[in-house]
Amino acid sequence: MAKRPADPADDGAAAVRQVPMRDFSRSLPMSLLRAREAVMRQFRPSLREHGLTEQQWRILRALAAIDTVEVTELARTAFLLGPSLSRILRDLEARSLIERKTAKADQRRSMVSISEKGVKLMASVAPSSEAIYAEITRRFGARKLVELQEMLGELEQSLAGLGAGEEASAEE
Amino acid sequence: MAKRPADPADDGAAAVRQVPMRDFSRSLPMSLLRAREAVMRQFRPSLREHGLTEQQWRILRALAAIDTVEVTELARTAFLLGPSLSRILRDLEARSLIERKTAKADQRRSMVSISEKGVKLMASVAPSSEAIYAEITRRFGARKLVELQEMLGELEQSLAGLGAGEEASAEE
DNA sequence: CGAATATACTTAACATGTTAAGTTAATGCG
DNA sequence: CGCATTAACTTAACATGTTAAGTATATTCG
């Protein structure tokens, strides 16, 4: 209701005083940001104690499940952009948590896998991580959690292929 | 190879082979991250055309609604950490999009407000921004959107005061 | 075969996230 | 008043997000 046009023509003066747009703190991006932050705030301390960042942990988890993957595929799985992943892999490799070797068939591709050390590190973090997840589930409610995730998935689907610029329609 | 183990004691079989941990791509943090990214992907191009980042836009919106605020309060409103805000305000001030002046009562505080130029910039971005929001709402469904935001709010509430370290209980 | 393209990454550059330390201005209190 | 403490920011340092270039290897196709 009442979308609040943000009326540009409405002469600057008053525009600034009253509700300029949708209260803003109630916008979808903010809601998602705050919810995610509330969740991550629970995990960060534990990860930090083990010398891992959120993204590094994502990568290790993805690797543990897939065994061996190309960088591009890993980027998709861990939901990281190429450049970020590239840097992180360099660091994880330096710390011997992962291993990398170029594919024989295609010299451009490098196959990544978690190392023994990496597996051990994961094993030491997992319990705490699982406990936190369980506590979150308990507090919010298992059923609602499933429901929430379904809605998030639907939202994602709704917007799939909207701003990705499927070429052949943009002015650039 | 066979990266499986991650599981010292329990060779309990199924545990590790089937679901390494909760498929991971279906974890709550990932769901939230992907949903938010799907949404922000829609806005970024427009903001970018106007030379604004997501955070800068958040700050301008917050300022437009509040008129004048202290930095700390603004950080809470725009949901930004102090250091990030500090840097961004420096840049926005250099671009004359905001104004800053130290409070008379307390020299430590600096009061921030949006400038005329900032208001005009907002007016030029708002239409496009509103249109995008409307399209998202249309695609996902207005009712479901409200429902989703309520759940996100509840999630946030559920976790309020959990890992924040309310002192007097932590070991540090 | 060989130049133009496309792929798979990596670098670079700039902005923010995140935590810790530093600065300057209030406050509390003996 | 004078010093310790607190408060409000700002800087610093390191990691990631984001977009644009750069590199090296594959592929296409004339």
Side-chain angles (χ1 to χ4, degrees), chain A residues 16 21 26 28-31 36 67 114 130 133 139 144 149 154 158 163, chain B residues 3 21 26 28-29 31 36 42 58 64 130 133 139 144 149 154 158 163:
Chain A
V16 188
M21 290 178 87
R26 282 170 184 83
L28 180 57
M30 281 299 279
S31 294
R36 186 174 143 78
D67 196 45
I114 192 170
E130 285 292 328
Y133 202 93
R139 291 213 175 200
K144 273 169 66 178
Q149 290 183 282
E154 288 170 30
S158 307
Chain B
K3 238 74 251 175
M21 276 185 100
R26 280 163 187 87
L28 180 56
S31 295
R36 187 174 142 77
Q42 313 305 318
R58 285 220 298 274
E130 285 292 330
Y133 202 94
R139 290 211 176 203
K144 274 169 66 177
Q149 288 183 287
E154 288 171 29
S158 307

PDB file of all heavy atoms in Angstrom, chain A residues 16 21 26 28-31 36 67 114 130 133 139 144 149 154 158 163, chain B residues 3 21 26 28-29 31 36 42 58 64 130 133 139 144 149 154 158 163:
ATOM      1  N   VAL A  16      12.280  15.995   1.672  1.00  0.00           N
ATOM      2  CA  VAL A  16      13.228  15.435   2.606  1.00  0.00           C
ATOM      3  C   VAL A  16      12.663  15.180   3.995  1.00  0.00           C
ATOM      4  O   VAL A  16      13.092  14.269   4.689  1.00  0.00           O
ATOM      5  CB  VAL A  16      14.443  16.370   2.762  1.00  0.00           C
ATOM      6  CG1 VAL A  16      15.509  15.685   3.571  1.00  0.00           C
ATOM      7  CG2 VAL A  16      14.947  16.743   1.390  1.00  0.00           C
ATOM      8  N   MET A  21      10.929   7.489   1.051  1.00  0.00           N
ATOM      9  CA  MET A  21      10.691   6.263   0.312  1.00  0.00           C
ATOM     10  C   MET A  21      10.155   5.259   1.328  1.00  0.00           C
ATOM     11  O   MET A  21       9.703   5.616   2.354  1.00  0.00           O
ATOM     12  CB  MET A  21      11.987   5.763  -0.299  1.00  0.00           C
ATOM     13  CG  MET A  21      12.465   6.660  -1.434  1.00  0.00           C
ATOM     14  SD  MET A  21      14.020   6.126  -2.136  1.00  0.00           S
ATOM     15  CE  MET A  21      13.484   4.964  -3.354  1.00  0.00           C
ATOM     16  N   ARG A  26      12.977  -1.064   6.141  1.00  0.00           N
ATOM     17  CA  ARG A  26      12.078  -2.176   5.887  1.00  0.00           C
ATOM     18  C   ARG A  26      12.137  -2.651   4.451  1.00  0.00           C
ATOM     19  O   ARG A  26      11.279  -3.378   3.981  1.00  0.00           O
ATOM     20  CB  ARG A  26      10.638  -1.781   6.236  1.00  0.00           C
ATOM     21  CG  ARG A  26      10.382  -1.805   7.733  1.00  0.00           C
ATOM     22  CD  ARG A  26       9.050  -1.189   8.083  1.00  0.00           C
ATOM     23  NE  ARG A  26       8.879  -1.135   9.527  1.00  0.00           N
ATOM     24  CZ  ARG A  26       9.365  -0.175  10.302  1.00  0.00           C
ATOM     25  NH1 ARG A  26      10.060   0.806   9.774  1.00  0.00           N
ATOM     26  NH2 ARG A  26       9.163  -0.198  11.600  1.00  0.00           N
ATOM     27  N   LEU A  28      13.511  -4.769   1.290  1.00  0.00           N
ATOM     28  CA  LEU A  28      13.906  -6.171   1.182  1.00  0.00           C
ATOM     29  C   LEU A  28      15.409  -6.375   1.323  1.00  0.00           C
ATOM     30  O   LEU A  28      15.855  -7.247   2.090  1.00  0.00           O
ATOM     31  CB  LEU A  28      13.410  -6.744  -0.156  1.00  0.00           C
ATOM     32  CG  LEU A  28      13.741  -8.204  -0.425  1.00  0.00           C
ATOM     33  CD1 LEU A  28      13.201  -9.095   0.684  1.00  0.00           C
ATOM     34  CD2 LEU A  28      13.175  -8.633  -1.777  1.00  0.00           C
ATOM     35  N   PRO A  29      16.210  -5.575   0.638  1.00  0.00           N
ATOM     36  CA  PRO A  29      17.664  -5.770   0.789  1.00  0.00           C
ATOM     37  C   PRO A  29      18.122  -5.618   2.235  1.00  0.00           C
ATOM     38  O   PRO A  29      18.953  -6.395   2.719  1.00  0.00           O
ATOM     39  CB  PRO A  29      18.237  -4.651  -0.089  1.00  0.00           C
ATOM     40  CG  PRO A  29      17.204  -4.445  -1.146  1.00  0.00           C
ATOM     41  CD  PRO A  29      15.898  -4.591  -0.407  1.00  0.00           C
ATOM     42  N   MET A  30      17.564  -4.650   2.941  1.00  0.00           N
ATOM     43  CA  MET A  30      17.961  -4.455   4.330  1.00  0.00           C
ATOM     44  C   MET A  30      17.507  -5.627   5.193  1.00  0.00           C
ATOM     45  O   MET A  30      18.230  -6.083   6.083  1.00  0.00           O
ATOM     46  CB  MET A  30      17.364  -3.147   4.867  1.00  0.00           C
ATOM     47  CG  MET A  30      18.118  -1.911   4.435  1.00  0.00           C
ATOM     48  SD  MET A  30      19.844  -1.884   5.002  1.00  0.00           S
ATOM     49  CE  MET A  30      19.620  -1.298   6.685  1.00  0.00           C
ATOM     50  N   SER A  31      16.309  -6.102   4.954  1.00  0.00           N
ATOM     51  CA  SER A  31      15.808  -7.231   5.731  1.00  0.00           C
ATOM     52  C   SER A  31      16.714  -8.436   5.555  1.00  0.00           C
ATOM     53  O   SER A  31      17.058  -9.131   6.520  1.00  0.00           O
ATOM     54  CB  SER A  31      14.389  -7.597   5.273  1.00  0.00           C
ATOM     55  OG  SER A  31      13.487  -6.551   5.579  1.00  0.00           O
ATOM     56  N   ARG A  36      20.825 -12.015   7.610  1.00  0.00           N
ATOM     57  CA  ARG A  36      22.066 -12.753   7.385  1.00  0.00           C
ATOM     58  C   ARG A  36      23.124 -12.388   8.409  1.00  0.00           C
ATOM     59  O   ARG A  36      23.849 -13.234   8.914  1.00  0.00           O
ATOM     60  CB  ARG A  36      22.607 -12.498   5.980  1.00  0.00           C
ATOM     61  CG  ARG A  36      23.796 -13.363   5.682  1.00  0.00           C
ATOM     62  CD  ARG A  36      24.276 -13.266   4.261  1.00  0.00           C
ATOM     63  NE  ARG A  36      25.708 -13.328   4.188  1.00  0.00           N
ATOM     64  CZ  ARG A  36      26.439 -14.435   4.289  1.00  0.00           C
ATOM     65  NH1 ARG A  36      25.844 -15.575   4.426  1.00  0.00           N
ATOM     66  NH2 ARG A  36      27.737 -14.400   4.251  1.00  0.00           N
ATOM     67  N   ASP A  67      35.309 -33.359  -3.421  1.00  0.00           N
ATOM     68  CA  ASP A  67      36.539 -34.083  -3.665  1.00  0.00           C
ATOM     69  C   ASP A  67      37.509 -33.330  -4.571  1.00  0.00           C
ATOM     70  O   ASP A  67      38.566 -32.939  -4.150  1.00  0.00           O
ATOM     71  CB  ASP A  67      36.245 -35.455  -4.255  1.00  0.00           C
ATOM     72  CG  ASP A  67      37.450 -36.340  -4.159  1.00  0.00           C
ATOM     73  OD1 ASP A  67      38.060 -36.348  -3.083  1.00  0.00           O
ATOM     74  OD2 ASP A  67      37.792 -36.999  -5.147  1.00  0.00           O
ATOM     75  N   ILE A 114      40.783 -30.620  -1.251  1.00  0.00           N
ATOM     76  CA  ILE A 114      41.146 -30.327   0.131  1.00  0.00           C
ATOM     77  C   ILE A 114      42.274 -31.272   0.543  1.00  0.00           C
ATOM     78  O   ILE A 114      42.360 -32.398   0.057  1.00  0.00           O
ATOM     79  CB  ILE A 114      39.917 -30.506   1.055  1.00  0.00           C
ATOM     80  CG1 ILE A 114      40.201 -29.921   2.441  1.00  0.00           C
ATOM     81  CG2 ILE A 114      39.553 -31.980   1.153  1.00  0.00           C
ATOM     82  CD1 ILE A 114      38.945 -29.853   3.296  1.00  0.00           C
ATOM     83  N   GLU A 130      28.088 -27.162  13.868  1.00  0.00           N
ATOM     84  CA  GLU A 130      26.820 -27.883  13.875  1.00  0.00           C
ATOM     85  C   GLU A 130      25.975 -27.494  15.080  1.00  0.00           C
ATOM     86  O   GLU A 130      24.760 -27.347  15.000  1.00  0.00           O
ATOM     87  CB  GLU A 130      27.067 -29.398  13.891  1.00  0.00           C
ATOM     88  CG  GLU A 130      27.529 -29.966  12.565  1.00  0.00           C
ATOM     89  CD  GLU A 130      26.428 -29.895  11.503  1.00  0.00           C
ATOM     90  OE1 GLU A 130      25.244 -29.996  11.864  1.00  0.00           O
ATOM     91  OE2 GLU A 130      26.767 -29.715  10.321  1.00  0.00           O
ATOM     92  N   TYR A 133      24.368 -24.194  14.512  1.00  0.00           N
ATOM     93  CA  TYR A 133      23.259 -24.321  13.561  1.00  0.00           C
ATOM     94  C   TYR A 133      22.047 -24.922  14.243  1.00  0.00           C
ATOM     95  O   TYR A 133      20.909 -24.525  14.028  1.00  0.00           O
ATOM     96  CB  TYR A 133      23.676 -25.190  12.377  1.00  0.00           C
ATOM     97  CG  TYR A 133      22.845 -24.945  11.143  1.00  0.00           C
ATOM     98  CD1 TYR A 133      23.249 -24.028  10.181  1.00  0.00           C
ATOM     99  CD2 TYR A 133      21.628 -25.601  10.957  1.00  0.00           C
ATOM    100  CE1 TYR A 133      22.468 -23.777   9.061  1.00  0.00           C
ATOM    101  CE2 TYR A 133      20.842 -25.358   9.836  1.00  0.00           C
ATOM    102  CZ  TYR A 133      21.270 -24.446   8.897  1.00  0.00           C
ATOM    103  OH  TYR A 133      20.488 -24.194   7.803  1.00  0.00           O
ATOM    104  N   ARG A 139      15.908 -22.174  18.115  1.00  0.00           N
ATOM    105  CA  ARG A 139      15.311 -20.880  18.449  1.00  0.00           C
ATOM    106  C   ARG A 139      14.250 -20.419  17.452  1.00  0.00           C
ATOM    107  O   ARG A 139      13.215 -19.892  17.828  1.00  0.00           O
ATOM    108  CB  ARG A 139      16.403 -19.812  18.511  1.00  0.00           C
ATOM    109  CG  ARG A 139      17.348 -19.984  19.669  1.00  0.00           C
ATOM    110  CD  ARG A 139      17.807 -18.632  20.143  1.00  0.00           C
ATOM    111  NE  ARG A 139      18.628 -18.739  21.336  1.00  0.00           N
ATOM    112  CZ  ARG A 139      18.827 -17.709  22.162  1.00  0.00           C
ATOM    113  NH1 ARG A 139      18.275 -16.539  21.912  1.00  0.00           N
ATOM    114  NH2 ARG A 139      19.572 -17.857  23.226  1.00  0.00           N
ATOM    115  N   LYS A 144       9.675 -23.523  10.584  1.00  0.00           N
ATOM    116  CA  LYS A 144       9.737 -22.182   9.997  1.00  0.00           C
ATOM    117  C   LYS A 144      11.015 -21.993   9.187  1.00  0.00           C
ATOM    118  O   LYS A 144      11.039 -21.279   8.186  1.00  0.00           O
ATOM    119  CB  LYS A 144       9.673 -21.124  11.106  1.00  0.00           C
ATOM    120  CG  LYS A 144       8.250 -20.754  11.488  1.00  0.00           C
ATOM    121  CD  LYS A 144       8.185 -19.919  12.749  1.00  0.00           C
ATOM    122  CE  LYS A 144       8.808 -18.567  12.598  1.00  0.00           C
ATOM    123  NZ  LYS A 144       8.671 -17.773  13.851  1.00  0.00           N
ATOM    124  N   GLN A 149      13.502 -20.921   4.062  1.00  0.00           N
ATOM    125  CA  GLN A 149      14.425 -21.246   2.984  1.00  0.00           C
ATOM    126  C   GLN A 149      13.716 -21.508   1.655  1.00  0.00           C
ATOM    127  O   GLN A 149      14.237 -21.200   0.595  1.00  0.00           O
ATOM    128  CB  GLN A 149      15.297 -22.430   3.392  1.00  0.00           C
ATOM    129  CG  GLN A 149      16.274 -22.013   4.484  1.00  0.00           C
ATOM    130  CD  GLN A 149      17.232 -23.119   4.881  1.00  0.00           C
ATOM    131  OE1 GLN A 149      16.842 -24.019   5.613  1.00  0.00           O
ATOM    132  NE2 GLN A 149      18.448 -23.055   4.408  1.00  0.00           N
ATOM    133  N   GLU A 154      12.434 -19.358  -3.688  1.00  0.00           N
ATOM    134  CA  GLU A 154      11.460 -18.864  -4.660  1.00  0.00           C
ATOM    135  C   GLU A 154      11.796 -17.445  -5.089  1.00  0.00           C
ATOM    136  O   GLU A 154      11.667 -17.092  -6.258  1.00  0.00           O
ATOM    137  CB  GLU A 154      10.057 -18.891  -4.039  1.00  0.00           C
ATOM    138  CG  GLU A 154       9.502 -20.305  -3.878  1.00  0.00           C
ATOM    139  CD  GLU A 154       8.217 -20.311  -3.050  1.00  0.00           C
ATOM    140  OE1 GLU A 154       7.481 -19.305  -3.096  1.00  0.00           O
ATOM    141  OE2 GLU A 154       7.953 -21.314  -2.356  1.00  0.00           O
ATOM    142  N   SER A 158      12.367 -16.203  -8.775  1.00  0.00           N
ATOM    143  CA  SER A 158      11.579 -15.117  -9.367  1.00  0.00           C
ATOM    144  C   SER A 158      12.464 -14.125 -10.117  1.00  0.00           C
ATOM    145  O   SER A 158      12.084 -13.570 -11.134  1.00  0.00           O
ATOM    146  CB  SER A 158      10.835 -14.340  -8.273  1.00  0.00           C
ATOM    147  OG  SER A 158      10.079 -15.203  -7.469  1.00  0.00           O
ATOM    148  N   GLY A 163      18.117  -9.147 -14.299  1.00  0.00           N
ATOM    149  CA  GLY A 163      19.122  -8.107 -14.520  1.00  0.00           C
ATOM    150  C   GLY A 163      20.437  -8.664 -15.024  1.00  0.00           C
ATOM    151  O   GLY A 163      21.398  -7.944 -15.210  1.00  0.00           O
TER     152      GLY A 163
ATOM    153  N   LYS B   3      38.419 -37.679  -0.300  1.00  0.00           N
ATOM    154  CA  LYS B   3      38.348 -36.686   0.748  1.00  0.00           C
ATOM    155  C   LYS B   3      37.305 -36.950   1.793  1.00  0.00           C
ATOM    156  O   LYS B   3      37.077 -36.152   2.633  1.00  0.00           O
ATOM    157  CB  LYS B   3      38.007 -35.355   0.134  1.00  0.00           C
ATOM    158  CG  LYS B   3      39.044 -34.383   0.461  1.00  0.00           C
ATOM    159  CD  LYS B   3      40.170 -34.657  -0.288  1.00  0.00           C
ATOM    160  CE  LYS B   3      41.408 -35.190   0.136  1.00  0.00           C
ATOM    161  NZ  LYS B   3      42.196 -35.389  -1.002  1.00  0.00           N
ATOM    162  N   MET B  21      27.536 -32.342   5.224  1.00  0.00           N
ATOM    163  CA  MET B  21      27.073 -31.559   6.372  1.00  0.00           C
ATOM    164  C   MET B  21      25.685 -31.081   5.990  1.00  0.00           C
ATOM    165  O   MET B  21      25.251 -31.142   5.531  1.00  0.00           O
ATOM    166  CB  MET B  21      27.962 -30.379   6.647  1.00  0.00           C
ATOM    167  CG  MET B  21      29.136 -30.703   7.459  1.00  0.00           C
ATOM    168  SD  MET B  21      30.043 -29.257   7.855  1.00  0.00           S
ATOM    169  CE  MET B  21      29.582 -28.861   9.425  1.00  0.00           C
ATOM    170  N   ARG B  26      22.477 -25.572   0.892  1.00  0.00           N
ATOM    171  CA  ARG B  26      21.152 -25.354   1.448  1.00  0.00           C
ATOM    172  C   ARG B  26      21.197 -24.825   2.872  1.00  0.00           C
ATOM    173  O   ARG B  26      20.211 -24.842   3.586  1.00  0.00           O
ATOM    174  CB  ARG B  26      20.355 -26.661   1.410  1.00  0.00           C
ATOM    175  CG  ARG B  26      19.771 -26.936   0.052  1.00  0.00           C
ATOM    176  CD  ARG B  26      19.338 -28.363  -0.112  1.00  0.00           C
ATOM    177  NE  ARG B  26      18.929 -28.629  -1.490  1.00  0.00           N
ATOM    178  CZ  ARG B  26      19.762 -28.999  -2.462  1.00  0.00           C
ATOM    179  NH1 ARG B  26      21.052 -29.140  -2.206  1.00  0.00           N
ATOM    180  NH2 ARG B  26      19.328 -29.222  -3.685  1.00  0.00           N
ATOM    181  N   LEU B  28      21.357 -22.079   5.841  1.00  0.00           N
ATOM    182  CA  LEU B  28      20.660 -20.806   5.985  1.00  0.00           C
ATOM    183  C   LEU B  28      21.512 -19.624   5.510  1.00  0.00           C
ATOM    184  O   LEU B  28      21.026 -18.773   4.759  1.00  0.00           O
ATOM    185  CB  LEU B  28      20.246 -20.614   7.449  1.00  0.00           C
ATOM    186  CG  LEU B  28      19.495 -19.327   7.768  1.00  0.00           C
ATOM    187  CD1 LEU B  28      18.261 -19.180   6.904  1.00  0.00           C
ATOM    188  CD2 LEU B  28      19.115 -19.301   9.239  1.00  0.00           C
ATOM    189  N   PRO B  29      22.768 -19.552   5.934  1.00  0.00           N
ATOM    190  CA  PRO B  29      23.588 -18.415   5.488  1.00  0.00           C
ATOM    191  C   PRO B  29      23.673 -18.336   3.962  1.00  0.00           C
ATOM    192  O   PRO B  29      23.583 -17.254   3.384  1.00  0.00           O
ATOM    193  CB  PRO B  29      24.955 -18.711   6.094  1.00  0.00           C
ATOM    194  CG  PRO B  29      24.640 -19.497   7.310  1.00  0.00           C
ATOM    195  CD  PRO B  29      23.493 -20.377   6.908  1.00  0.00           C
ATOM    196  N   SER B  31      21.503 -19.524   1.775  1.00  0.00           N
ATOM    197  CA  SER B  31      20.194 -19.152   1.238  1.00  0.00           C
ATOM    198  C   SER B  31      20.007 -17.645   1.316  1.00  0.00           C
ATOM    199  O   SER B  31      19.542 -17.010   0.368  1.00  0.00           O
ATOM    200  CB  SER B  31      19.077 -19.837   2.031  1.00  0.00           C
ATOM    201  OG  SER B  31      19.130 -21.239   1.860  1.00  0.00           O
ATOM    202  N   ARG B  36      19.811 -12.428  -1.253  1.00  0.00           N
ATOM    203  CA  ARG B  36      20.180 -11.013  -1.255  1.00  0.00           C
ATOM    204  C   ARG B  36      20.929 -10.626  -2.520  1.00  0.00           C
ATOM    205  O   ARG B  36      20.697  -9.567  -3.096  1.00  0.00           O
ATOM    206  CB  ARG B  36      21.039 -10.685  -0.034  1.00  0.00           C
ATOM    207  CG  ARG B  36      21.299  -9.196   0.069  1.00  0.00           C
ATOM    208  CD  ARG B  36      22.011  -8.802   1.340  1.00  0.00           C
ATOM    209  NE  ARG B  36      22.962  -7.750   1.073  1.00  0.00           N
ATOM    210  CZ  ARG B  36      22.658  -6.483   0.883  1.00  0.00           C
ATOM    211  NH1 ARG B  36      21.415  -6.090   0.972  1.00  0.00           N
ATOM    212  NH2 ARG B  36      23.577  -5.600   0.606  1.00  0.00           N
ATOM    213  N   GLN B  42      19.783  -6.623  -9.151  1.00  0.00           N
ATOM    214  CA  GLN B  42      18.834  -5.798  -9.883  1.00  0.00           C
ATOM    215  C   GLN B  42      19.128  -4.314  -9.731  1.00  0.00           C
ATOM    216  O   GLN B  42      18.950  -3.530 -10.650  1.00  0.00           O
ATOM    217  CB  GLN B  42      17.402  -6.074  -9.386  1.00  0.00           C
ATOM    218  CG  GLN B  42      17.038  -7.542  -9.265  1.00  0.00           C
ATOM    219  CD  GLN B  42      17.256  -8.306 -10.560  1.00  0.00           C
ATOM    220  OE1 GLN B  42      16.929  -7.825 -11.635  1.00  0.00           O
ATOM    221  NE2 GLN B  42      17.834  -9.499 -10.453  1.00  0.00           N
ATOM    222  N   ARG B  58      22.480   3.657   0.615  1.00  0.00           N
ATOM    223  CA  ARG B  58      21.829   3.418   1.906  1.00  0.00           C
ATOM    224  C   ARG B  58      21.985   4.635   2.802  1.00  0.00           C
ATOM    225  O   ARG B  58      21.054   5.049   3.487  1.00  0.00           O
ATOM    226  CB  ARG B  58      22.466   2.210   2.614  1.00  0.00           C
ATOM    227  CG  ARG B  58      22.084   0.863   2.060  1.00  0.00           C
ATOM    228  CD  ARG B  58      21.857  -0.162   3.179  1.00  0.00           C
ATOM    229  NE  ARG B  58      23.014  -0.453   4.002  1.00  0.00           N
ATOM    230  CZ  ARG B  58      23.936  -1.360   3.705  1.00  0.00           C
ATOM    231  NH1 ARG B  58      23.849  -2.049   2.580  1.00  0.00           N
ATOM    232  NH2 ARG B  58      24.937  -1.581   4.511  1.00  0.00           N
ATOM    233  N   ALA B  64      18.191  11.264   4.115  1.00  0.00           N
ATOM    234  CA  ALA B  64      17.034  11.959   3.573  1.00  0.00           C
ATOM    235  C   ALA B  64      15.840  11.823   4.502  1.00  0.00           C
ATOM    236  O   ALA B  64      15.015  12.724   4.606  1.00  0.00           O
ATOM    237  CB  ALA B  64      16.684  11.393   2.201  1.00  0.00           C
ATOM    238  N   GLU B 130      12.669   2.741  -7.555  1.00  0.00           N
ATOM    239  CA  GLU B 130      11.300   2.352  -7.208  1.00  0.00           C
ATOM    240  C   GLU B 130      10.747   1.374  -8.228  1.00  0.00           C
ATOM    241  O   GLU B 130      10.048   0.420  -7.897  1.00  0.00           O
ATOM    242  CB  GLU B 130      10.396   3.587  -7.147  1.00  0.00           C
ATOM    243  CG  GLU B 130      10.604   4.443  -5.912  1.00  0.00           C
ATOM    244  CD  GLU B 130      10.143   3.708  -4.650  1.00  0.00           C
ATOM    245  OE1 GLU B 130       9.215   2.885  -4.736  1.00  0.00           O
ATOM    246  OE2 GLU B 130      10.740   3.950  -3.591  1.00  0.00           O
ATOM    247  N   TYR B 133      12.108  -2.024  -7.610  1.00  0.00           N
ATOM    248  CA  TYR B 133      11.485  -2.617  -6.430  1.00  0.00           C
ATOM    249  C   TYR B 133      10.083  -3.108  -6.760  1.00  0.00           C
ATOM    250  O   TYR B 133       9.650  -4.176  -6.329  1.00  0.00           O
ATOM    251  CB  TYR B 133      11.423  -1.594  -5.290  1.00  0.00           C
ATOM    252  CG  TYR B 133      11.310  -2.239  -3.935  1.00  0.00           C
ATOM    253  CD1 TYR B 133      12.450  -2.499  -3.181  1.00  0.00           C
ATOM    254  CD2 TYR B 133      10.074  -2.610  -3.419  1.00  0.00           C
ATOM    255  CE1 TYR B 133      12.363  -3.119  -1.944  1.00  0.00           C
ATOM    256  CE2 TYR B 133       9.977  -3.237  -2.181  1.00  0.00           C
ATOM    257  CZ  TYR B 133      11.116  -3.479  -1.452  1.00  0.00           C
ATOM    258  OH  TYR B 133      11.034  -4.100  -0.234  1.00  0.00           O
ATOM    259  N   ARG B 139       7.005  -9.728  -9.385  1.00  0.00           N
ATOM    260  CA  ARG B 139       7.435 -11.089  -9.698  1.00  0.00           C
ATOM    261  C   ARG B 139       7.271 -12.061  -8.532  1.00  0.00           C
ATOM    262  O   ARG B 139       6.848 -13.197  -8.704  1.00  0.00           O
ATOM    263  CB  ARG B 139       8.903 -11.087 -10.107  1.00  0.00           C
ATOM    264  CG  ARG B 139       9.148 -10.445 -11.451  1.00  0.00           C
ATOM    265  CD  ARG B 139      10.332 -11.096 -12.121  1.00  0.00           C
ATOM    266  NE  ARG B 139      10.535 -10.579 -13.454  1.00  0.00           N
ATOM    267  CZ  ARG B 139      11.181 -11.254 -14.402  1.00  0.00           C
ATOM    268  NH1 ARG B 139      11.690 -12.440 -14.146  1.00  0.00           N
ATOM    269  NH2 ARG B 139      11.337 -10.736 -15.603  1.00  0.00           N
ATOM    270  N   LYS B 144       3.531 -12.430  -0.528  1.00  0.00           N
ATOM    271  CA  LYS B 144       4.641 -13.274  -0.117  1.00  0.00           C
ATOM    272  C   LYS B 144       5.817 -12.430   0.347  1.00  0.00           C
ATOM    273  O   LYS B 144       6.557 -12.821   1.262  1.00  0.00           O
ATOM    274  CB  LYS B 144       5.093 -14.164  -1.293  1.00  0.00           C
ATOM    275  CG  LYS B 144       4.298 -15.452  -1.396  1.00  0.00           C
ATOM    276  CD  LYS B 144       4.563 -16.194  -2.686  1.00  0.00           C
ATOM    277  CE  LYS B 144       5.983 -16.721  -2.784  1.00  0.00           C
ATOM    278  NZ  LYS B 144       6.168 -17.502  -4.032  1.00  0.00           N
ATOM    279  N   GLN B 149       9.402 -10.955   4.677  1.00  0.00           N
ATOM    280  CA  GLN B 149      10.040  -9.969   5.543  1.00  0.00           C
ATOM    281  C   GLN B 149       9.681 -10.148   7.009  1.00  0.00           C
ATOM    282  O   GLN B 149      10.480  -9.898   7.895  1.00  0.00           O
ATOM    283  CB  GLN B 149       9.690  -8.561   5.058  1.00  0.00           C
ATOM    284  CG  GLN B 149      10.438  -8.251   3.764  1.00  0.00           C
ATOM    285  CD  GLN B 149      10.201  -6.851   3.258  1.00  0.00           C
ATOM    286  OE1 GLN B 149       9.126  -6.549   2.751  1.00  0.00           O
ATOM    287  NE2 GLN B 149      11.183  -5.994   3.398  1.00  0.00           N
ATOM    288  N   GLU B 154      11.532 -12.074  12.291  1.00  0.00           N
ATOM    289  CA  GLU B 154      11.431 -13.016  13.407  1.00  0.00           C
ATOM    290  C   GLU B 154      12.757 -13.745  13.613  1.00  0.00           C
ATOM    291  O   GLU B 154      13.181 -13.980  14.738  1.00  0.00           O
ATOM    292  CB  GLU B 154      10.327 -14.043  13.109  1.00  0.00           C
ATOM    293  CG  GLU B 154       8.918 -13.451  13.193  1.00  0.00           C
ATOM    294  CD  GLU B 154       7.861 -14.430  12.693  1.00  0.00           C
ATOM    295  OE1 GLU B 154       8.083 -15.645  12.805  1.00  0.00           O
ATOM    296  OE2 GLU B 154       6.821 -13.963  12.172  1.00  0.00           O
ATOM    297  N   SER B 158      14.853 -13.870  16.942  1.00  0.00           N
ATOM    298  CA  SER B 158      15.223 -15.138  17.580  1.00  0.00           C
ATOM    299  C   SER B 158      16.672 -15.147  18.016  1.00  0.00           C
ATOM    300  O   SER B 158      17.038 -15.729  19.037  1.00  0.00           O
ATOM    301  CB  SER B 158      15.011 -16.306  16.621  1.00  0.00           C
ATOM    302  OG  SER B 158      13.719 -16.311  16.092  1.00  0.00           O
ATOM    303  N   GLY B 163      24.955 -14.281  20.322  1.00  0.00           N
ATOM    304  CA  GLY B 163      26.411 -14.291  20.221  1.00  0.00           C
ATOM    305  C   GLY B 163      27.027 -12.931  20.450  1.00  0.00           C
ATOM    306  O   GLY B 163      28.223 -12.753  20.377  1.00  0.00           O
TER     307      GLY B 163
END
